Amino acid sequence: MALCLIALYVSPLFLLGENAHIRVHDNLDSNIAWYKVLSESGKITGPLDAKIPQIANGKLSRNALGSELTGIVWLHALFPTMTAYALSQTITRVVAFLGMYLLLKTHFLPEPRWMAVRIGVALAFALTLFWPSGMLSTLGMPLALWAFLSIRKGEGEWKHYVALTLLPFYSSFVLGFFFFLAAMGTLWLLDVLRGKGWNIRFLTSIAYMTLLYLLVEYRLVYSFLWEDEPTSRDEYFHARLSFWHCVRLTWKNFILGHHHVMTEHTFFILPAWLMALYLVFMKKRWKQERLFLFLFGLNFALSAWYAFWFYKGWLPLTERFHFLDTFNFARFHFLRPLVIYVQFALALKIVWQYSEKGEKWAKRLLAAQVILVFLINEEIVFRYEPTVKQFYAEKQFQEIKQYIGLPVSDYRVVSIGIHPAIAQYNGFYTLDTYNNFYPLSYKYEFRKIIERELEKSKTIRTYFDEWGGRCYIFTAELGKRYMFTKQSKKRLKNLQLNTEQLKKMGGRYIFSAVPIDNAAENGLVLDRVFTSDESAWTIYLYKVN
């Protein structure tokens, strides 16, 4: 039944295809377009010094678009975009379900009486609205923990090593498993300090999986250790928040979660924890339920770590040790989905055991959580966003390409009011991009185009100068908004671009989702307006005079 529900959950992706609604942020606006650009560039297996000519004027390193040893790259190379996306979602959710089920059955709730809890919690975990391009970076952690805990007990079998071997090929080291393996290393060290021996097999399994990740992510390792050219990551300044802001952020993260690891635990899981906590203390069962109490504390500690990573008190350290800025250690909170759902399972067991009507309440809370996450489906949550077909608007951009009539490699474009990923997906060569790993010198060069707009607005100036992952044509009038559909009435009245710099970098056309009233003052000529029933945008094609 659980597997049927997972099949039903992902079915809109297979049935609707390009007419499906899926996440835009850090998905349609970036990764999905990158996979297509990479597969069409002929550089999937390119050398370490290869560049992607279509993005950032050919300055983007091939190494910035992920390793060819990662499965999702080949899914998008072998299948159409939405087929690859649907397959990836299915793989991830099935593995997440099986991993959590095996973990609970083997190590936390082995008794047959807890079968419903094991299956229900595993199903709820598998249906969470995770970040798609993360693959199994968070949802694969239960499977890995199942394997590691079995090996730690001396019960390791071939299937545990197979799990540890396959996971690195469909997950990310820096977006999940670095932090998980650090936690496993800490667990091994604690065992040693508590006199449980060196457990060489457990240590070796941790080292084995770490080595596999370093091999799979060899491009990232090379770039981190041997490339000397400064990148946009070198100007990422995270330590900005006051102490009390961090306190508020701690509670916000603990109660609501984070958009990259959406656990949806606020409405039913959190009450289950509190009920269990109350029963543990009322029944004086804190010794028997110390694992639940430990996970409760760990859960809160991870939220506090996430929030206080942005505390401005870190500044002296980040100024001295630059890697603290370039690597996001706040992502230890990516362990929270694993912790939250294991803690949920233990909470349900406690409510079931220690309360008079506990069995009913446990079943109700579990059913409610499954229903909640089932309804938080991309097709429902993002129903007011453009569909994939409307977002990428291939027919409309093909018309633009034919109208311009030049080989796309002969000119460069930038976008205003829409994500540059749309132009990239449709084969155009762009100066603008969304990427966290491009040359810092290019950021400075691009900044000259928008420097007068940045002077007008502290918000976009800070956003660009102290991060710069979105190397966009920012304007003070539009701010940090990048999606103006054809229903928008917005107009740009006081645009001030350095068109000479744009032209110097090869920029010939601007794809704008809004009309520019003072185009002539910027050396721009409105060439033509493109509309399409299949597109979410009205594209005003401006030519650099």
Side-chain angles (χ1 to χ4, degrees):
M1 286 177 63
L3 291 173
C4 286
L5 281 173
I6 292 173
L8 186 60
Y9 184 90
V10 299
S11 62
L13 299 173
F14 290 97
L15 297 174
L16 297 176
E18 288 188 334
N19 293 312
H21 295 84
I22 65 174
R23 172 184 173 133
V24 172
H25 178 64
D26 285 350
N27 194 35
L28 285 174
D29 67 353
S30 48
N31 295 78
I32 289 181
W34 299 344
Y35 298 137
K36 187 170 188 287
V37 169
L38 180 59
S39 65
E40 293 178 351
S41 70
K43 306 213 181 246
I44 289 183
T45 58
L48 288 166
D49 60 352
K51 303 292 183 184
I52 303 297
Q54 197 182 326
I55 299 177
N57 220 4
K59 299 294 178 66
L60 186 72
S61 170
R62 159 67 188 89
N63 300 340
L65 296 186
S67 170
E68 67 271 26
L69 299 178
T70 305
I72 198 169
V73 168
W74 288 103
L75 274 183
H76 282 267
L78 297 172
F79 297 100
T81 292
M82 282 310 294
T83 303
Y85 187 83
L87 288 171
S88 181
Q89 286 276 316
T90 306
I91 292 167
T92 306
R93 297 189 185 283
V94 170
V95 173
F97 170 76
L98 293 174
M100 181 59 78
Y101 176 76
L102 289 170
L103 176 64
L104 294 177
K105 181 181 180 182
T106 308
H107 299 291
F108 293 99
L109 300 173
E111 297 173 29
R113 64 186 293 201
W114 305 123
M115 183 180 69
V117 173
R118 293 195 299 258
I119 294 174
V121 170
L123 177 60
F125 176 75
L127 296 183
T128 54
L129 200 63
F130 72 101
W131 178 49
S133 288
M135 301 164 286
L136 289 166
S137 301
T138 53
L139 295 192
M141 288 182 187
L143 186 64
L145 186 58
W146 163 74
F148 276 126
L149 291 182
S150 298
I151 295 168
R152 177 175 175 247
K153 283 182 177 181
E155 300 170 357
E157 299 177 21
W158 65 269
K159 57 189 177 184
H160 301 115
Y161 294 100
V162 167
L164 298 184
T165 301
L166 294 180
L167 278 169
F169 294 94
Y170 211 76
S171 56
S172 167
F173 189 49
V174 297
L175 297 173
F177 269 90
F178 169 86
F179 310 100
F180 176 82
L181 289 166
M184 291 299 99
T186 303
L187 178 60
W188 173 84
L189 182 60
L190 288 173
D191 284 346
V192 173
L193 295 176
R194 287 184 295 184
K196 292 187 176 182
W198 290 89
N199 202 338
I200 297 301
R201 188 169 291 182
F202 182 33
L203 177 61
T204 304
S205 65
I206 298 170
Y208 169 69
M209 195 178 196
T210 303
L211 179 61
L212 266 182
Y213 269 110
L214 295 178
L215 291 173
V216 170
E217 303 273 11
Y218 75 97
R219 292 182 181 275
L220 181 67
V221 173
Y222 171 81
S223 298
F224 187 75
L225 295 179
W226 288 290
E227 280 193 351
D228 297 326
E229 184 179 14
T231 71
S232 56
R233 297 289 299 178
D234 290 302
E235 282 193 344
Y236 170 52
F237 304 107
H238 71 274
R240 297 195 195 106
L241 303 184
S242 68
F243 178 83
W244 290 110
H245 193 158
C246 291
V247 171
R248 293 195 301 272
L249 185 57
T250 297
W251 284 104
K252 179 182 177 183
N253 183 262
F254 180 72
I255 295 170
L256 300 177
H258 186 276
H259 67 93
H260 274 160
V261 281
M262 290 294 287
T263 47
E264 311 296 351
H265 65 277
T266 308
F267 297 109
F268 303 112
I269 295 180
L270 184 57
W273 293 345
L274 297 176
M275 289 170 65
L277 191 65
Y278 171 80
L279 289 168
V280 166
F281 281 92
M282 286 298 294
K283 304 287 185 181
K284 298 181 181 179
R285 307 291 290 181
W286 45 80
K287 288 185 179 179
Q288 292 85 344
E289 304 299 342
R290 59 183 180 274
L291 179 59
F292 169 76
L293 296 175
F294 167 75
L295 291 178
F296 203 108
L298 176 61
N299 195 351
F300 188 82
L302 289 170
S303 288
W305 174 265
Y306 162 75
F308 277 88
W309 181 250
F310 302 100
Y311 176 47
K312 59 186 178 184
W314 284 100
L315 273 174
L317 276 176
T318 58
E319 289 170 355
R320 185 171 181 182
F321 303 104
H322 187 53
F323 74 92
L324 294 176
D325 261 330
T326 56
F327 191 84
N328 189 354
F329 285 95
R331 288 177 178 152
F332 271 104
H333 79 103
F334 281 12
L335 295 170
R336 287 193 75 220
L338 169 63
V339 174
I340 283 171
Y341 276 87
V342 171
Q343 188 185 343
F344 181 40
L346 296 178
L348 293 175
K349 185 202 78 166
I350 291 167
V351 171
W352 192 314
Q353 276 186 319
Y354 301 146
S355 176
E356 189 178 334
K357 296 183 179 180
E359 183 178 346
K360 280 186 179 180
W361 275 107
K363 289 179 177 178
R364 286 171 182 170
L365 287 166
L366 183 54
Q369 181 64 21
V370 169
I371 292 168
L372 174 68
V373 291
F374 186 84
L375 293 176
I376 301 177
N377 186 297
E378 283 187 297
E379 191 59 40
I380 297 172
V381 173
F382 301 118
R383 63 190 182 279
Y384 298 119
E385 301 284 351
T387 65
V388 176
K389 188 174 188 176
Q390 291 168 336
F391 184 86
Y392 285 127
E394 292 182 76
K395 183 178 177 181
Q396 184 180 26
F397 278 83
Q398 184 62 29
E399 288 179 15
I400 296 172
K401 196 181 293 181
Q402 290 174 353
Y403 176 78
I404 292 174
L406 298 170
V408 287
S409 58
D410 286 1
Y411 59 93
R412 302 293 180 267
V413 305
V414 292
S415 300
I416 295 177
I418 57 170
H419 295 284
I422 298 169
Q424 292 166 3
Y425 188 90
N426 285 286
F428 289 94
Y429 284 54
T430 71
L431 297 177
D432 44 357
T433 189
Y434 177 17
N435 198 283
N436 284 336
F437 194 70
Y438 62 93
L440 187 60
S441 58
Y442 185 78
K443 178 182 174 182
Y444 293 156
E445 190 180 6
F446 188 89
R447 191 187 191 281
K448 295 175 185 177
I449 301 173
I450 56 173
E451 58 187 350
R452 282 177 286 183
E453 289 297 320
L454 297 183
E455 288 169 6
K456 300 177 192 176
S457 168
K458 182 181 178 181
T459 299
I460 59 173
R461 184 169 66 251
T462 301
Y463 190 59
F464 185 84
D465 288 345
E466 296 189 14
W467 181 51
R470 292 192 189 273
C471 190
Y472 283 20
I473 298 292
F474 286 110
T475 72
E477 291 173 86
L478 302 184
K480 286 166 58 178
R481 294 179 61 198
Y482 344 101
M483 281 182 53
F484 291 85
T485 64
K486 56 189 176 187
Q487 285 77 34
S488 172
K489 304 298 181 185
K490 188 70 178 177
R491 307 179 71 90
L492 281 172
K493 299 177 181 178
N494 298 297
L495 181 66
Q496 288 183 290
L497 296 181
N498 184 342
T499 317
E500 287 302 315
Q501 177 66 13
L502 178 61
K503 193 159 46 177
K504 180 181 174 183
M505 294 175 69
R508 293 277 297 276
Y509 293 95
I510 294 177
F511 299 159
S512 180
V514 297
I516 303 172
D517 290 346
N518 65 332
E521 295 175 24
N522 287 273
L524 302 174
V525 176
L526 179 60
D527 212 352
R528 186 172 166 182
V529 179
F530 292 85
T531 60
S532 171
D533 293 337
E534 297 178 1
S535 167
W537 328 107
T538 295
I539 301 298
Y540 298 85
L541 179 66
Y542 288 94
K543 188 173 183 177
V544 179
N545 196 343

